[in-house]
Amino acid sequence: TIASISAQEILDSRGNPTVRVHLSLDDGTRVSASVPSGASTGEHEAVELRDGDKSRYDGKGVLKAVANVNDKIAARLIGLNPARQAEIDALMLELDGTPNKARLGANAILGVSMAAARAAAQSARLPLYAYLGGPGATRLPVPMMNILNGGKHADNSVDFQEFMVMPIGAPTFAEALRYGAETFHTLKKILGRKGYVTSVGDEGGFAPNLKSNEEACEVIVEAILAAGYKPGRDIAIALDPAASSFYSDGIYSLAKSGQGKKTCDEMIALYGRWLDAFPIVSIEDGLDENDWSGFAKQTAAQGGRIQIVGDDVFVTNPDFVHRGIAEKTANAVLIKLNQIGTVSETIRTIGLCREAGWNFVISHRSGETEDTFMADFAVAMGGGQIKTGSACRSERIAKYNRLLEIEAELGKAAVFRSPLA
Ligand code: PGA
Ligand code: ZN
């Protein structure tokens, strides 16, 4: 049973405060779990509680969330069996009492939810992926590696937030990671040769001042080829424009690149041209988070050819995904534990995806920590896709290294098969 729960304020990969929870059991098990934090957050995400005290971290401190764990949550959960995840999560929701976790903070609640799962796994002497996924959890995810950054994640001339490579033709996770890392290094050389800077953005991708958004796909295809791979067969491209970040009042403004203003229909047409020109297999948040009809239009037009992923539009919320399935808003969901705030609700959302035959992608946030929970979670859920950044920055690489470890541990039982190949 749970003997103690405490939290502390730590820093994420951007140097902003976030929550780490320490949890111990009376059998001597001791674990911790750290919560990530987004920048291009969805409007309807669960509330990340910040202090607002301008004298500390420009108001971004999380001491209130920490106190909520130490006082309110700990008092309620001590003595419970950590394996009763659903009950633990439900008790925290009840204690919070708001629809969006505004009182205790989703950062406080998620830290405890993850720590409980980790403690239960450790106490049962199982790796986290096997504890959460059972003996059938043997599928490694294809990485979506964000090697070129724009939008809110970089100070450059690119409007779209993420240009990712997906090594869909690799035989194993380890080989997929190698394909992606080699492409990343080759891209660095190509950008350097063209006179672009090769400093990196929040998720470890390059952030050059390209002449257009299209040029991002062009240089990536060039890098895939120069690294010795076949675009579309070995390595495909996935995009996350994160369109909410350049949308307002019915108009998509491609202002960073100077490529003008577009309507929803014009954006869909633009993506259509890109699908013809580049080996793209997945587009996430191509339209604004509140443009549900636009999403449905894009899915009707392009969903037969590619994966249409909803991130900000669904915010990992089972109610939103339920509606999305009914309205054919997309055909896949981006899964971020901290958008909804408990492990149980996240698993419920994934259950809806499975029932509908939709794909799902386990995802990091742009602000991360060294915690690798999501790597185990991706294998446990078995969806075959993970999005956790480029081939540099240790908070991203920690997840990839954990997946290498899991693949090695599974040995011959490990399965690697892209849902998009
Ligand atoms: P965020 O971005 O973590 O800054 O929200 C990631 C994404 O949009 O997928
Ligand atoms: Zn996104």
Side-chain angles (χ1 to χ4, degrees), residues 55-384:
S55 70
R56 296 186 74 253
Y57 291 113
D58 196 27
K60 293 189 179 129
V62 293
L63 297 180
K64 286 181 187 164
V66 163
N68 287 341
V69 173
N70 292 342
D71 308 334
K72 300 194 181 82
I73 297 177
R76 191 68 168 261
L77 301 186
I78 285 171
L80 289 181
N81 178 348
R84 303 178 73 148
Q85 186 82 45
E87 189 184 326
I88 287 171
D89 291 344
L91 276 172
M92 289 193 283
L93 295 194
E94 188 189 298
L95 196 59
D96 175 79
T98 71
N100 56 359
K101 304 179 178 69
R103 200 161 88 93
L104 297 177
N107 40 358
I109 294 172
L110 180 63
V112 175
S113 186
M114 288 162 64
R118 190 170 263 154
Q122 194 170 307
S123 180
R125 298 184 185 284
L126 286 170
L128 183 58
Y129 67 89
Y131 170 75
L132 287 173
T138 55
R139 186 178 186 185
L140 274 294
V142 180
M144 289 181 156
M145 302 175 72
N146 179 15
I147 63 173
L148 208 150
N149 299 182
K152 273 200 182 175
H153 290 178
D155 296 318
N156 66 350
S157 62
V158 178
D159 296 290
F160 294 176
Q161 181 176 284
E162 306 178 14
F163 295 82
M164 298 170 277
V165 288
M166 266 189 102
I168 53 173
T172 62
F173 174 77
E175 284 293 274
L177 191 61
R178 181 173 69 83
Y179 288 19
E182 289 173 3
T183 304
F184 171 76
H185 292 123
T186 308
L187 178 61
K188 180 169 185 170
K189 287 185 201 137
I190 290 171
L191 291 173
R193 213 182 298 137
K194 291 181 192 281
Y196 291 123
V197 293
T198 51
S199 52
V200 298
D202 289 352
E203 297 185 352
F206 300 114
N209 278 310
L210 301 176
K211 292 182 226 16
S212 65
N213 292 306
E214 286 77 3
E215 195 184 0
C217 287
E218 288 161 14
V219 290
I220 289 174
V221 168
E222 204 178 324
I224 293 170
L225 283 166
Y229 298 104
K230 190 167 184 303
R233 188 193 63 191
D234 300 322
I235 303 178
I237 295 177
L239 303 177
D240 178 7
S244 304
S245 65
F246 52 84
Y247 173 89
S248 96
D249 293 334
I251 292 295
Y252 295 88
S253 300
L254 305 181
K256 291 180 82 182
S257 64
Q259 287 184 288
K261 296 185 191 305
K262 305 216 178 296
T263 62
C264 170
D265 288 343
E266 287 167 346
M267 286 304 292
I268 295 171
L270 179 146
Y271 295 134
R273 289 194 298 277
W274 281 38
L275 296 190
D276 295 335
F278 305 112
I280 294 169
V281 291
S282 178
I283 298 180
E284 170 187 335
D285 284 357
L287 299 164
D288 178 64
E289 61 193 327
N290 293 309
D291 193 356
W292 288 67
S293 64
F295 258 93
K297 234 190 231 180
Q298 189 193 3
T299 303
Q302 297 162 359
R305 273 172 93 179
I306 60 161
Q307 175 172 265
I308 306 282
V309 188
D311 169 13
D312 292 349
V313 64
F314 297 138
V315 291
T316 315
N317 188 316
D319 297 335
F320 286 41
V321 171
H322 186 81
R323 175 180 164 195
I325 290 165
E327 297 181 11
K328 297 185 168 51
T329 306
N331 60 27
V333 179
L334 201 77
I335 301 290
K336 292 167 166 167
L337 285 147
N338 83 322
Q339 275 181 331
I340 184 72
T342 62
V343 173
S344 306
E345 289 165 289
T346 307
I347 292 174
R348 202 175 313 144
T349 298
I350 291 169
L352 291 174
C353 294
R354 289 206 187 96
E355 278 170 35
W358 281 25
N359 287 338
F360 57 91
V361 181
I362 307 298
S363 173
H364 64 166
R365 298 310 301 250
S366 52
E368 266 294 335
T369 71
E370 59 273 39
D371 193 299
T372 58
F373 189 98
M374 61 166 291
D376 281 75
F377 192 67
V379 176
M381 295 298 114

